[in-house]
C-alpha cells in the first residue's frame, strides 16, 4: 500500500473545476478533469467536449488523459474529476492502472467509483458544493444533453 498523497485535494480539484467552467462557457457539458503525478505536478487537464467536438467519447477524464500524453505507467498518478467517473472513464482508470481518483461530487451522478475502490484504486469524494452546483444547474437547464452524455435516460 502506497502512502496517501500529501498534496491538497482541494487544490487539485480547483484545476478540474476551471476546466468544467471552460466547458460550460463553450456550451458543453460542465465536467472537468486533470491528471497529476503524486507530487501534485499537473500532467494534463481537459473537459467534456462531446458537444464541441461532436465526439461522444470525449469525456473529461479521457480528455485529461489524452492531454497528458504517453507515460510508462500510471500507478503514481492521480485523476481528479469534478464528477463521479462514468463506467467508460472508470474503465480507462483500470485499464491504465491509475493509482488514485479524487471525485468532486457523486450526488448528481454515481458512476463506477465503488468498483474502482473495490479493485484497489484509492478513491476519495469531496462533495464539493461548486461541483454539485455546476451539475445541478446543468441537468435542470439541459436534461436532454446530459442524458445523451451517459447513454440515455435511466430506465
Ligand atoms: Zn466518462
Amino acid at each position: 500500500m502506497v502512502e496517501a498523497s500529501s498534496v491538497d485535494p482541494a487544490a487539485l480539484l480547483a484545476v478540474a473545476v476551471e476546466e468544467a467552467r471552460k466547458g460550460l462557457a463553450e456550451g458543453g457539458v460542465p465536467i472537468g478533469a486533470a491528471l497529476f503525478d503524486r507530487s501534485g505536478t499537473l500532467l494534463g487537464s481537459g473537459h467534456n467536449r462531446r458537444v464541441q467536438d461532436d465526439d461522444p467519447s470525449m469525456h473529461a477524464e479521457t480528455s485529461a488523459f489524452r492531454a497528458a500524453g504517453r507515460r510508462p505507467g500510471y500507478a503514481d498518478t492521480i485523476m481528479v474529476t469534478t464528477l463521479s467517473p462514468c463506467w467508460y472513464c472508470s474503465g480507462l482508470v483500470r485499464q491504465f492502472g491509475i493509482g488514485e481518483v479524487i471525485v468532486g461530487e457523486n450526488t448528481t451522478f454515481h458512476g463506477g467509483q465503488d468498483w474502482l475502490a473495490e479493485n484497489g484504486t484509492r478513491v476519495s469524494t469531496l462533495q464539493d458544493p461548486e461541483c454539485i452546483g455546476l451539475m445541478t444547474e446543468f441537468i435542470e437547464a439541459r436534461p436532454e444533453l446530459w442524458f445523451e452524455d451517459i447513454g440515455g435516460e435511466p430506465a
Side-chain angles (χ1 to χ4, degrees):
M1 193 73 184
V2 185
E3 282 296 307
S5 168
S6 59
V7 293
D8 176 17
L12 304 188
L13 182 65
V15 177
V17 169
E18 192 183 318
E19 284 286 349
R21 293 206 172 281
K22 267 187 220 167
L24 187 65
E26 292 167 0
V29 181
I31 304 172
L35 189 70
F36 296 89
D37 71 12
R38 299 289 298 158
S39 66
T41 300
L42 180 65
L43 302 172
S45 66
H47 50 271
N48 185 302
R49 303 192 50 84
R50 177 164 50 84
V51 173
Q52 297 92 319
D53 295 354
D54 193 27
D55 180 354
S57 73
M58 194 50 97
H59 283 193
E61 299 89 330
T62 302
S63 178
F65 180 75
R66 290 180 64 179
R70 292 171 54 195
R71 284 179 73 79
Y74 292 88
D76 64 339
T77 63
I78 308 168
M79 178 66 84
V80 184
T81 177
T82 57
L83 181 66
S84 184
C86 74
W87 285 107
Y88 160 61
C89 296
S90 295
L92 182 150
V93 168
R94 278 206 66 190
Q95 171 67 38
F96 292 95
I98 292 171
E100 180 170 354
V101 175
I102 296 174
V103 177
E105 65 106 349
N106 63 9
T107 64
T108 65
F109 176 78
H110 196 114
Q113 68 176 87
D114 298 336
W115 174 71
L116 290 174
E118 283 158 19
N119 286 281
T121 308
R122 274 185 308 281
V123 178
S124 55
T125 306
L126 305 181
Q127 304 301 23
D128 176 73
E130 193 175 3
C131 294
I132 294 170
L134 272 170
M135 280 311 291
T136 302
E137 285 169 28
F138 175 73
I139 294 169
E140 275 172 21
R142 305 295 305 276
E144 75 296 339
L145 206 48
W146 169 236
F147 288 122
E148 182 189 318
D149 200 68
I150 52 177
E153 266 193 77

